[in-house]
Amino acid sequence: MIEVRDVGKRYGGVVALAGARFAAEAGEVHGLLGPNGSGKSTINKILAGSVRPDTGSLWVDGRQVQPGSPTESARLGIGAVYQQLTVIPTLDVEQNLLLGTEPGRWGLLDRRAGRERASAMLERLRPALGEHVGPGSLVGDLSPGQQQLIEIGKVLLRRPRILILDEATASLHRPQVDLLFDIVRELREDGVCVLFVSHRLDEILRICDRATILRAGRHVATVDLADTRPDELVRLMVGEKLAETTKVPSARRDEVVLQVDDLHAPGVAGVSLRAHAGEIIGLGGLQGQGQSDLLMTIFGALPRTGGTVTFRGRRLGHYRAARAARMGFALVPGNRGTQGMFSLRSIQENLSIVSLWRRTMAGFGISMRRERSAAREAVERLAIRLGSLDDPVSSLSGGNAQKVIVAKWLLSDPVVILLDDPTKGVDVGAKAEIYQIIRTLAAEGCTIVINSSDDRELAVLSDRVLVLFEGAVVAELEGEEIDEERLVSSALLVSARADREVSG
């Protein structure tokens, strides 16, 4: 029913797809598997019409197609549900379900027909939605899982022939997943082709007939899941021969600088950790499992709802990001464009902004000579390649812009540095330079906590890795235990699953 042939896609210097291919049949649930950055979501966005491929071709029912928009994909019978919600919280359930497909009569909305369609879908979703959710319920008042079900219902009302579920179960609880899988089985019986992506390997094995494994944007294999063991899937995802990596000796010292006990926050479910001076702690697991939320909570940018944070032996009460920065915390956020820098302001201003208070005269006067001197020192230390300090930071390459974000924090002499995917979107050379900066900071006694979507990066840098799943730590790897295969296995709960099978 649908085929992807040798599709390529680049975003600047980042290769998202490099000749990816797969084919799926009518009446099949086909899984797409691969580690972070393998290209799964990019393929789905191309099929859904929201991204255009650079090379390759798409085929539906044996006919080559070129969907240039989601509307064109919908005309081909393709519908997509993503983890990122597109429901409108200020509209009610009925309005969201019918959005874009409202029935009409004589050029006017047919409210009666619309209400009947929406009510029928609500009744199908009722066992997982709950009795209190009605057509007039405000979507913004629903839980994330209920909102996700409304998102799914909206796409199902369009009666797609090809349904893409791209991590659509991420915010669903077990009963909600069970209902969705019942619906998927009904669709399969009706001849619908379902493309299914999930970070839960158990779900892939439970609902999919076959799966295509991608790695680094390339096709690795397509397997019948009834004949494939979980550990074989993991090996296909990370490769039989893992690339050699260079790991340096740990700079960890005895002093416990940061201690987090039973931390609860939005997206964080009871995390505990102890971080020493000079130690690099990695946060592993598939993307969106609470790693960024944990870093933001430690930094004070997200509200802590439970647990404690202890810094250098002193338990901290509730604090905001500004106080954390003054105490010695630094955060390099995951989205550098919107959170890490002022894109239209100069490199000088971006470098000065965090630590300006440290160099003011009498608490309010600013010496541009001192600011220039501090900025040049930071540029030299991190080998930032630029034209002038007065150029906008947006004029820099991705790697140099990221080094500016790191450099601005170094001017504040941080003790704990929180890094959220610091090398995402930078080229190989800049990535190696950032690795060296991280190692140098650890050798100088800084405590580093790094979230990365690149398992190889965690294996190279980390002294320990905490693997998160749904906001909780499910595994801790240390020293020689840290390799790509174990990181992927832990993220997919394969080890725990295997243990349950053995004990059973």
Side-chain angles (χ1 to χ4, degrees):
M1 179 173 278
I2 190 163
E3 186 176 2
V4 172
R5 297 183 184 175
D6 301 320
V7 167
K9 181 64 181 178
R10 297 176 66 97
Y11 295 96
V14 177
V15 178
L17 294 172
R21 57 184 172 82
F22 78 90
E25 301 172 358
E28 176 187 9
V29 183
H30 195 100
L32 290 179
L33 277 172
N36 293 327
S38 58
K40 306 183 297 295
S41 291
T42 303
I43 279 185
N44 287 334
K45 289 175 181 176
I46 288 172
L47 294 175
S50 58
V51 169
R52 294 193 179 191
D54 298 329
T55 58
S57 58
L58 309 178
W59 299 72
V60 174
D61 295 326
R63 179 170 59 91
Q64 186 172 353
V65 298
Q66 293 180 318
S69 69
T71 301
E72 292 180 23
S73 284
R75 291 196 189 103
L76 294 170
I78 301 173
V81 181
Y82 301 101
Q83 181 180 356
Q84 292 78 22
L85 297 173
T86 62
V87 292
I88 300 177
T90 54
L91 298 183
D92 63 32
V93 167
E94 180 180 314
Q95 290 169 321
N96 271 279
L97 285 172
L98 299 175
L99 193 63
T101 59
E102 297 87 348
R105 189 178 185 186
W106 299 315
L108 300 173
L109 289 178
D110 188 339
R111 297 190 180 279
R112 180 177 178 180
R115 188 169 295 111
E116 289 176 354
R117 290 180 60 200
S119 296
M121 180 55 66
L122 269 179
E123 287 308 306
R124 184 66 186 91
L125 301 174
R126 177 72 61 202
L129 270 178
E131 292 298 327
H132 67 284
V133 179
S137 300
L138 198 65
V139 167
D141 294 335
L142 304 183
S143 70
Q146 291 171 323
Q147 292 183 18
Q148 183 72 74
L149 287 171
I150 299 301
E151 182 92 23
I152 292 168
K154 179 175 68 174
V155 175
L156 292 178
L157 277 176
R158 300 182 180 189
R159 301 185 180 278
R161 299 170 55 247
I162 300 165
L163 175 63
I164 300 169
L165 296 174
D166 192 345
E167 297 194 7
T169 62
S171 60
L172 300 183
H173 299 302
R174 178 62 62 182
Q176 296 169 332
V177 174
D178 292 341
L179 175 67
L180 175 60
F181 282 6
D182 287 342
I183 293 173
V184 167
R185 293 186 185 99
E186 293 171 7
L187 295 172
R188 177 167 55 191
E189 291 297 318
D190 291 339
V192 174
C193 174
V194 180
L195 303 179
F196 185 76
V197 176
S198 174
H199 59 259
R200 297 163 172 155
L201 190 59
D202 282 350
E203 292 182 355
I204 295 285
L205 294 168
R206 178 180 165 195
I207 196 64
C208 294
D209 304 302
R210 295 188 300 154
T212 291
I213 294 88
L214 301 172
R215 189 168 67 241
R218 302 177 186 276
H219 175 273
V220 174
T222 297
V223 298
D224 290 315
L225 289 171
D227 303 323
T228 310
R229 298 193 314 272
D231 58 327
E232 292 175 348
L233 289 175
V234 172
R235 276 196 290 273
L236 287 169
M237 289 168 67
V238 301
E240 289 290 344
K241 291 186 178 180
L242 303 178
E244 293 185 8
T245 55
T246 303
K247 196 175 181 76
V248 300
S250 173
R252 169 176 163 168
R253 305 175 188 179
D254 292 334
E255 178 192 2
V256 176
V257 173
L258 175 68
Q259 182 170 329
V260 172
D261 294 297
D262 197 26
L263 189 69
H264 286 78
V268 182
V271 171
S272 298
L273 66 87
R274 289 162 59 92
H276 295 73
E279 185 176 26
I280 302 175
I281 291 183
L283 301 179
L286 289 141
Q287 291 173 299
Q289 299 303 303
Q291 299 95 331
S292 298
D293 298 322
L294 176 59
L295 294 178
M296 296 284 278
T297 303
I298 292 173
F299 190 65
L302 284 180
R304 179 181 5 139
T305 57
T308 60
V309 176
T310 303
F311 176 62
R312 286 185 158 177
R314 182 167 64 93
R315 182 175 294 184
L316 304 177
H318 289 279
Y319 56 91
R320 296 183 181 272
R323 184 184 168 204
R326 297 243 177 170
M327 286 189 296
F329 287 84
L331 172 69
V332 175
N335 190 331
R336 64 172 174 260
T338 60
Q339 298 176 322
M341 63 186 185
F342 300 103
S343 299
L344 300 181
R345 308 302 296 182
S346 69
I347 298 167
Q348 171 71 66
E349 290 171 301
N350 275 272
L351 287 169
S352 296
I353 189 67
V354 170
S355 59
L356 190 63
W357 62 275
R358 299 171 65 95
R359 295 180 299 277
T360 56
M361 298 179 294
F364 60 87
I366 298 175
S367 166
M368 284 310 299
R369 182 183 59 80
R370 295 173 68 183
E371 292 307 310
R372 287 283 188 180
S373 176
R376 291 191 189 99
E377 179 185 333
V379 167
E380 183 177 347
R381 181 179 181 184
L382 272 66
I384 302 172
R385 289 176 283 279
L386 50 80
S388 166
L389 287 170
D390 296 321
D391 292 340
V393 72
S394 57
S395 67
L396 298 177
S397 67
N400 282 296
Q402 188 73 328
K403 286 198 281 186
V404 167
I405 297 171
V406 175
K408 76 178 183 183
W409 284 107
L410 298 190
L411 289 174
S412 68
D413 293 328
V415 178
V416 175
I417 302 176
L418 310 171
L419 303 172
D420 193 356
D421 231 351
T423 65
K424 184 177 181 178
V426 304
D427 60 51
V428 175
K431 184 176 290 191
E433 292 174 346
I434 292 172
Y435 287 0
Q436 186 56 50
I437 292 167
I438 293 171
R439 288 166 172 158
T440 300
L441 292 170
E444 293 173 355
C446 291
T447 299
I448 313 287
V449 184
I450 176 173
N451 167 43
S452 176
S453 57
D454 186 340
D455 292 326
R456 183 173 301 176
E457 184 166 279
L458 290 176
V460 172
L461 289 173
S462 305
D463 301 315
R464 283 188 294 140
V465 174
L466 306 180
V467 180
L468 274 68
F469 185 85
E470 296 183 349
V473 177
V474 295
E476 181 174 337
L477 307 176
E478 186 168 0
E480 297 301 320
E481 294 178 326
I482 306 173
D483 59 39
E484 289 182 80
E485 186 165 357
R486 284 190 180 92
L487 286 168
V488 172
S489 298
S490 300
L492 297 173
L493 304 185
V494 170
S495 299
R497 185 176 187 274
D499 291 344
R500 288 197 301 272
E501 290 177 350
V502 170
S503 63

